Amino acid sequence: MIVKTKKYALDKKAYRRAGMRNVLREQWWVGLIVLAISSMAFVIPSNWWWIGALIALSLYLLFWIIQFAGVTQLEQSKMLFEKLSYEINSQQILIKMNSKQGMPMKWDQIKRAWVDKKQIVLVVNKAQLMLFPFNAFKTQNEIKFVETILKRKGLLKTDAPAEQKA
């Protein structure tokens, strides 16, 4: 079975939100560094440890916010945010600009996936994501089929279907 999505443009705000969620999920250990710096206030009493940890965390988050905001503005990534359609099957994802031009993406290029209440997110790398909003699919069965493919490929770890998530 081949799932053909409707032609849609990727929402820049949703892309930035999903990108930040992905970075925070992948780099959770940064929180441990902030806690370690903050805990130095108990060894050498000073409020500067707390302030330094807060500044470091703020700069780290600001760096990633700027990265994802920049991706949405760059000329090289302009194609990501144009109206595209996708054909998804168990071998590949075909990204189609029109009926004659397209680019295949094999499943082994996808590192991880997750499903939230509005979309399916595929992580290619830290800064590159593919978002499939549920309204891009024609039926609920297509969403379930894509989730089944993701589970078979070992990319989706959750067992709850998308419509049960709140």
Side-chain angles (χ1 to χ4, degrees):
M1 179 175 164
I2 296 177
V3 174
K4 295 182 181 183
T5 66
K6 299 174 188 172
K7 205 167 194 177
Y8 71 96
L10 189 58
D11 181 34
K12 292 179 181 182
K13 188 176 180 181
Y15 184 84
R16 288 190 298 259
R17 205 174 314 124
M20 282 302 295
R21 181 177 172 189
N22 180 51
V23 164
L24 293 175
R25 182 183 280 178
E26 273 189 17
Q27 297 185 351
W28 56 269
W29 49 267
V30 172
L32 296 177
I33 294 172
V34 170
L35 285 175
I37 293 171
S38 299
S39 66
M40 287 300 294
F42 298 113
V43 177
I44 304 170
S46 174
N47 285 335
W48 287 106
W49 293 109
W50 300 100
I51 294 168
L54 185 63
I55 289 171
L57 180 63
S58 299
L59 289 174
Y60 172 79
L61 293 174
L62 185 63
F63 169 78
W64 283 107
I65 289 169
I66 291 170
Q67 291 295 314
F68 288 112
V71 166
T72 62
Q73 304 299 320
L74 283 175
E75 188 67 34
Q76 296 93 332
S77 59
K78 183 180 177 185
M79 189 197 86
L80 285 173
F81 302 100
E82 291 178 357
K83 281 197 165 211
L84 302 170
S85 63
Y86 299 84
E87 289 183 8
I88 304 168
N89 61 31
S90 59
Q91 285 83 34
Q92 67 184 7
I93 302 169
L94 184 62
I95 306 165
K96 296 181 77 174
M97 296 173 70
N98 56 42
S99 61
K100 295 180 182 175
Q101 291 181 316
M103 182 185 90
M105 178 174 274
K106 298 287 184 192
W107 283 108
D108 59 355
Q109 292 178 283
I110 308 296
K111 288 185 178 177
R112 190 172 14 126
W114 77 79
V115 179
D116 61 22
K117 30 184 177 174
K118 296 180 186 175
Q119 62 196 0
I120 297 172
V121 180
L122 305 179
V123 179
V124 179
N125 58 41
K126 255 186 234 179
Q128 189 177 6
L129 310 167
M130 296 175 74
L131 280 67
F132 298 103
F134 289 152
N135 61 6
F137 297 99
K138 295 175 182 121
T139 65
Q140 197 67 27
N141 288 336
E142 290 181 344
I143 296 170
K144 289 179 183 177
F145 179 71
V146 172
E147 286 180 5
T148 304
I149 291 173
L150 293 172
K151 287 177 186 173
R152 284 186 189 153
K153 301 288 182 185
L155 299 170
L156 190 64
K157 306 289 188 245
T158 60
D159 294 327
E163 54 276 353
Q164 290 179 358
K165 295 188 179 185

